[in-house]
Amino acid sequence: MTRNDLCWCGSGKKYKKCHLAFDERLNDMKFDIFKGQARPPKKIINNEEDIEGIRKSGVVNDGALDLMTTLVRPGVDTLTLNDAAHEYIVSHGGIPACLNYEGYPKSVCISINEVVCHGIPSKKTILKEGDIVNIDITTILNGYYADASRMYLVGNVSPAAEHLAKVARECMELGIAAARPWHFLGDVGAACEEHAHANGYSVVTDLGGHGVGKQFHMEPFVPHVGEVDTGMLLVPGMVLTVEPMINAGKYKVVTDKSDGWTVTTKDRSLSAQWEKTILITETGTEVLSS
Ligand code: MF3
Ligand code: CO
Ligand code: CO
């Protein structure tokens, strides 16, 4: 690619006015393979048009999560919540990404108490006072994916459960604060893990965050444990999720054999999760869905 060619990112700009300086910086970097340090592939670098697409998808996704706040209460079944989120997304021009994703049967995931993630909404699953509930929603708008989840407290919740949900949120925020351009992805997991362990909690390792944008789950896998200065280099234009799953007991999880989806803690202890979609910018991060 010469200086006057159109940039590889698809911006339509000349290379010299777009990613030339970026490529020079990347080429000058030394990668320590013993730390698993790796160069990000070009295909996961988004241009301005892509970023604007994910941003708009995020607005719809956040609206669906906001709607859940108004509906969560003791006595409501989780299929009613699923259907309300589905209707919201579709009426705003989007598609619920979970529906039929690898055979997943519903439009959102609703995970209660010891359910870590991928809980399947059902008319038979009824929220009760004291439950802590994760609702995880992903919207596709004009081909762009935005993925986020929040914890919802049902009525009065025990101090222990509320504390777990609070610390899980802090783990996510600390993970996001640790995500910096021209630093490594391992910084994110290290920050999540440190805060969870400082509170006596464990971090799920079998599942993690992911690149997101033109697909639901892309490179890189985002661990919520790890060591600083390891893993893939973070660079401006990367979009990924940070979504730590924090357990009150041990870190091990099991997947329900009968439905193939529901992930619970192996020891049946409580679990909490928050998720945001973030963009790596020149100076830090921008939240695209939360
Ligand atoms: N939204 C989940 C995530 O954060 C993925 C759900 S996949 C599904 O990555 F099939 F269970 F919906
Ligand atoms: Co999600
Ligand atoms: Co996700």
Side-chain angles (χ1 to χ4, degrees):
M1 167 148 305
T2 71
R3 298 172 54 80
N4 287 317
D5 286 340
L6 293 181
C7 187
W8 52 260
C9 79
S11 64
K13 290 191 230 165
K14 284 187 176 171
Y15 183 46
K16 66 183 177 193
K17 296 247 168 170
C18 197
H19 278 92
L20 175 60
F22 171 100
D23 280 345
E24 284 173 350
R25 184 164 183 182
L26 199 53
N27 285 333
D28 285 345
M29 295 262 326
K30 300 271 175 284
F31 291 89
D32 183 345
I33 57 166
F34 295 103
K35 291 183 174 172
Q37 293 179 347
R39 195 181 295 275
K42 282 197 169 66
K43 62 174 186 281
I44 66 168
I45 314 295
N46 295 279
N47 64 33
E48 257 320 310
E49 183 183 346
D50 298 330
I51 291 163
E52 188 54 22
I54 305 166
R55 212 180 260 127
K56 288 195 173 120
S57 184
V59 171
V60 176
N61 205 55
D62 294 357
L65 287 162
D66 290 345
L67 174 63
M68 297 296 101
T69 311
T70 69
L71 300 176
V72 167
R73 57 173 176 77
V76 73
D77 68 85
T78 58
L79 188 64
T80 295
L81 301 174
N82 176 86
D83 293 354
H86 182 106
E87 279 309 310
Y88 182 93
I89 292 167
V90 169
S91 72
H92 287 79
I95 300 166
C98 293
L99 186 60
N100 301 320
Y101 175 75
E102 293 184 2
Y104 186 78
K106 292 288 180 257
S107 301
V108 303
C109 297
I110 306 185
S111 305
I112 307 169
N113 298 335
E114 74 282 358
V115 180
V116 173
C117 63
H118 305 165
I120 303 173
S122 162
K123 202 83 215 164
K124 291 189 201 147
T125 305
I126 297 170
L127 300 187
K128 60 178 192 310
E129 179 104 14
D131 285 342
I132 58 167
V133 181
N134 174 276
I135 305 182
D136 190 338
I137 308 186
T138 306
T139 295
I140 315 170
L141 186 71
N142 301 321
Y144 292 105
Y145 291 73
D147 183 9
S149 78
R150 302 179 193 164
M151 293 300 292
Y152 300 81
L153 309 182
V154 185
N156 286 311
V157 165
S158 75
E162 192 167 347
H163 188 253
L164 176 67
K166 174 175 160 277
V167 170
R169 187 178 196 163
E170 290 165 352
C171 288
M172 172 190 65
E173 292 298 353
L174 289 164
I176 291 169
R180 291 177 299 164
W182 308 103
H183 290 73
F184 291 90
L185 183 58
D187 300 6
V188 174
C192 293
E193 183 179 18
E194 185 191 34
H195 191 60
H197 289 178
N199 283 278
Y201 300 140
S202 67
V203 181
V204 173
T205 56
D206 283 1
L207 301 118
H210 48 91
V212 64
K214 282 184 262 195
Q215 293 167 257
F216 199 163
H217 294 110
M218 305 164 54
E219 273 191 278
F221 176 76
V222 179
H224 300 109
V225 298
E227 309 238 345
V228 295
D229 254 11
T230 64
M232 191 180 280
L233 184 74
L234 298 175
V235 295
M238 285 171 74
V239 175
L240 44 93
T241 72
V242 178
E243 50 178 306
M245 285 148 269
I246 307 300
N247 297 349
K250 299 207 164 77
Y251 77 96
K252 283 191 178 160
V253 299
V254 289
T255 303
D256 188 295
K257 283 199 185 70
S258 55
D259 68 24
W261 283 102
T262 311
V263 177
T264 56
T265 53
K266 192 165 185 231
D267 62 10
R268 301 279 150 169
S269 64
L270 289 178
S271 186
Q273 178 182 29
W274 293 77
E275 175 176 23
K276 290 185 183 181
T277 293
I278 63 164
L279 165 71
I280 308 297
T281 67
E282 300 287 342
T283 52
T285 56
E286 177 188 330
V287 174
L288 301 183
S289 184
S290 64

